[in-house]
Amino acid sequence: ATLERLCLHESVGTKLPETAFLEAFDDLEVRVELVGDGEPYTEADAVASFEPRPEFLEAGWVHCIRAGYDAFDTDAYEDVGVPLTNSSGIHGDTVGELAVGYMLSLARLLHTYRDRQRDREWHDPAYERPFTISGERLCVVGLGTVGQGIAKRADALGMDVVGVRRSDDPVPSVSKLYDPGALEAAVADARFVALAAPHTPATEGMIDADILDAMRSDAYLLNVARGPLVDEGALITALEAETIAGAALDVFEQEPLPASSPLWGFENVIVTPHRGSATNRYHHDIAELVRENVRRFRAGESLKNRVA
Ligand code: NAD
């Protein structure tokens, strides 16, 4: 197969600086261009994009720069036989660090002290409230790159890590695995429940009122995966009724999170603006993955991270 051009669709600008991304392909053996909407594509073109566009189906290969490719219609790619690849495999460190940051803050109240700092208040929390995460149980739902990135760090900090996984192959740092059908049992003893599964028909709404009910009243929900995994209405109800202790959320049913959302207002909820993978290295990590696939495509080898 020939590949003559790599097109970087302008929507990549949502997550990274386009010029730096372009420069990360400097000595690539094919032409690299930034393109906008309506670009004509042929089989000799590859496209890397943040958002899907109908015209990408004319290209020879399409790369979604995100790990979660739920916005792309995989059936359409399969129908026309255009390979679609994603960016899983690179977010273990970035999202893993965010999740650990959430847990340390929720346990030791960094977010609360910072809130009170705004009023120059020397805050004195209830004696019972702060705790160490060491010795606490974390349940990680979904043990791919992100889930394992979280598990490895939590284990290193002395946590007892259990997980939810479709297969029962053992995972380093995870002491016990549960089947997705046993989610209630998996979350029941955990102080933290971290979501790291993709958004699929099977995971949509998986954290519903029943699962929230099964969680401990001193437990925290962390969502670094995708908003629709959680029934947000049920989460707000649980937070209002204090049947769970709090949450840290990077992703939401609707993004940006609307100003009217009650989630903004809870002291025990940390809201971050979908920045789980946002570091100054993001464009390098993605470029490395795309460059490897350019090499494979030209060598006629199977593509890494093919999802359709
Ligand atoms: P990955 O493909 O490496 O891992 C996903 C894992 O989830 C796989 O092991 C898969 O088998 C498992 N899984 C699928 N369905 C499941 C189910 N029903 N129950 C339990 N496990 C299930 O992908 P990744 O790089 O680890 O990313 C995971 C997800 O995290 C992405 O799909 C994306 O939506 C999200 N993500 C968010 C950010 C962010 O900025 N917050 C960044 C990267 C990834």
Side-chain angles (χ1 to χ4, degrees), residues 67-68 88 91 95 142 144-146 166 180 196 198 203 224-226 250 274 276-277:
S88 73
H91 300 100
V95 185
T145 308
V146 167
R166 290 175 303 178
T203 62
V224 291
R226 282 288 181 270
D250 193 42
H274 201 150
S277 54

Side-chain angles (χ1 to χ4, degrees), residues 45-279:
D45 295 322
V47 194
S49 186
F50 177 75
E51 287 169 7
R53 290 289 182 269
E55 66 262 25
F56 294 170
L57 292 166
E58 307 292 325
W61 151 49
V62 177
H63 180 79
C64 166
I65 68 158
R66 320 178 72 178
Y69 53 94
D70 38 316
F72 286 71
D73 180 355
T74 50
D75 291 343
Y77 281 85
E78 270 156 26
D79 287 348
V80 296
V82 173
L84 176 69
T85 52
N86 78 338
S87 293
S88 73
I90 61 173
H91 300 100
D93 292 350
T94 52
V95 185
E97 287 183 4
L98 179 70
V100 165
Y102 283 160
M103 289 191 284
L104 290 169
S105 185
L106 289 167
R108 300 299 297 274
L109 294 167
L110 306 185
H111 57 298
T112 302
Y113 300 137
R114 182 71 210 198
D115 286 348
R116 305 304 175 94
Q117 183 178 338
R118 256 173 225 113
D119 301 324
R120 301 178 177 251
E121 180 191 332
W122 189 258
H123 182 57
D124 184 19
Y127 178 79
E128 301 74 26
R129 173 58 183 82
F131 59 98
T132 62
I133 63 172
S134 176
E136 296 289 347
R137 173 171 285 198
L138 162 69
C139 174
V140 183
V141 181
L143 284 160
T145 308
V146 167
Q148 293 193 38
I150 299 170
K152 174 171 111 179
R153 286 169 176 77
D155 179 47
L157 290 168
M159 300 185 78
D160 169 26
V161 186
V162 302
V164 176
R165 183 168 221 221
R166 290 175 303 178
S167 93
D168 48 18
D169 296 344
V171 178
S173 307
V174 180
S175 66
K176 186 171 178 183
L177 288 173
Y178 295 83
D179 183 79
L183 190 56
E184 263 187 49
V187 303
D189 294 328
R191 191 75 192 265
F192 296 94
V193 175
L195 307 180
H199 176 206
T200 66
T203 62
E204 186 161 315
M206 76 194 303
I207 305 299
D208 58 12
D210 289 343
I211 299 296
L212 291 162
D213 228 33
M215 285 173 63
R216 285 164 50 169
S217 58
D218 63 354
Y220 297 85
L221 178 71
L222 318 178
N223 190 1
V224 291
R226 282 288 181 270
L229 269 62
V230 178
D231 176 341
E232 223 168 77
L235 174 62
I236 291 164
T237 303
L239 289 163
E240 280 167 348
E242 296 178 14
T243 61
I244 64 168
L249 310 166
D250 193 42
V251 290
F252 304 89
E253 277 176 2
Q254 193 189 332
E255 296 180 9
L257 182 64
S260 60
S261 171
L263 291 171
W264 290 110
F266 294 100
E267 185 177 273
N268 53 347
V269 174
I270 299 175
V271 169
T272 54
H274 201 150
R275 285 296 178 278
S277 54
T279 70

